[in-house]
Amino acid sequence: MFVTTGQAGTALGCSIPTVKKLMATGVVPGVRETGRQVFPLAALQQLQARPAADLTALAVPEVAVLRSDAPVRVDEPDREWIGFGTALDRAQLLAALSGWWRCDPARVSAGAVLPVTVAGFVVAVLTGLTAWEADGTAGTAGRFRFPMARLAGYLTDLTAPANAADPADPEDARLAGLLLGTRLPSVSGGPIAYVTTNPTTDTADEGEQA
């Protein structure tokens, strides 16, 4: 059985464009892209049951959240894609997600972990945010990249979350296990949001990507 993208959006608390963005990442199996786009009812029910991220388990007051779109090809020297998608391999994903974003890099680094969300669901986790590079624009209004970032985890199926990265670092594995597949709403006018690790009831659609 299938539901419309509008019905899926109502059930998940997001807009139709946000539902279509989630479908375009490939992380929801069984979506029908030919003709009228529809969303599998069983997948929708599984997503509705996904728990909220327990940020109280993190030893920091806030974390940055990268609010991603589906993959878009770019002509840049250090990457071919930006955004998140299951068709990208691990190296492509890391390059696509580790910059260049408008953000406060010190604030991102202080959180020690960067959940990547699509439609409010954590689909990837970055760590290793200890160093950053600027694009040459003065101040924190510029774009920054984290060249030492590690892909601690990512999903290929949001309805049955399992870490496809198999990280060697135990702390990376712990953070990925804590966050992957959870619901983590955030509010921002750009690609990076900052979320307190105290419980919150804020909800919002996903924003633009880097």
Side-chain angles (χ1 to χ4, degrees):
M1 294 181 62
F2 292 87
V3 297
T4 66
T5 52
Q7 290 170 322
T10 298
L12 296 176
C14 60
S15 67
I16 292 176
T18 298
V19 172
K20 290 183 176 181
K21 175 168 49 178
L22 181 64
M23 295 167 69
T25 65
V27 80
V28 180
V31 297
R32 185 177 296 169
E33 296 289 349
T34 56
R36 185 184 187 187
Q37 285 186 315
V38 289
F39 204 99
L41 177 59
L44 177 60
Q45 292 170 334
Q46 288 168 311
L47 296 191
Q48 286 181 289
R50 298 308 306 156
D54 181 14
L55 300 183
T56 62
L58 303 177
V60 290
E62 71 171 8
V63 292
V65 175
L66 174 59
R67 297 147 55 89
S68 182
D69 278 338
V72 176
R73 187 177 286 276
V74 294
D75 182 16
E76 297 182 7
D78 56 352
R79 60 182 178 179
E80 300 176 88
W81 302 89
I82 55 174
F84 175 87
T86 59
L88 304 184
D89 63 31
R90 195 175 307 182
Q92 290 172 323
L93 269 178
L94 179 58
L97 299 174
S98 57
W100 297 86
W101 323 307
R102 290 188 180 92
C103 65
D104 180 338
R107 195 174 176 187
V108 173
S109 180
V113 62
L114 183 72
V116 179
T117 63
V118 177
F121 293 95
V122 179
V123 294
V125 175
L126 296 182
T127 57
L129 308 168
T130 55
W132 56 85
E133 299 174 352
D135 67 350
T137 305
T140 57
R143 294 177 182 265
F144 294 86
R145 180 172 76 99
F146 291 77
M148 304 301 292
R150 300 187 300 273
L151 188 61
Y154 68 98
L155 298 179
T156 58
D157 183 347
L158 184 56
T159 65
N163 190 353
D166 191 25
D169 185 286
E171 180 62 7
D172 283 3
R174 184 188 75 85
L175 291 170
L178 177 69
L179 295 168
L180 283 176
T182 62
R183 300 192 73 166
L184 179 51
S186 59
V187 179
S188 176
I192 296 289
Y194 302 95
V195 178
T196 177
T197 54
N198 293 324
T200 178
T201 57
D202 289 343
T203 58
D205 274 2
E206 293 293 282
E208 63 174 295
Q209 67 181 39

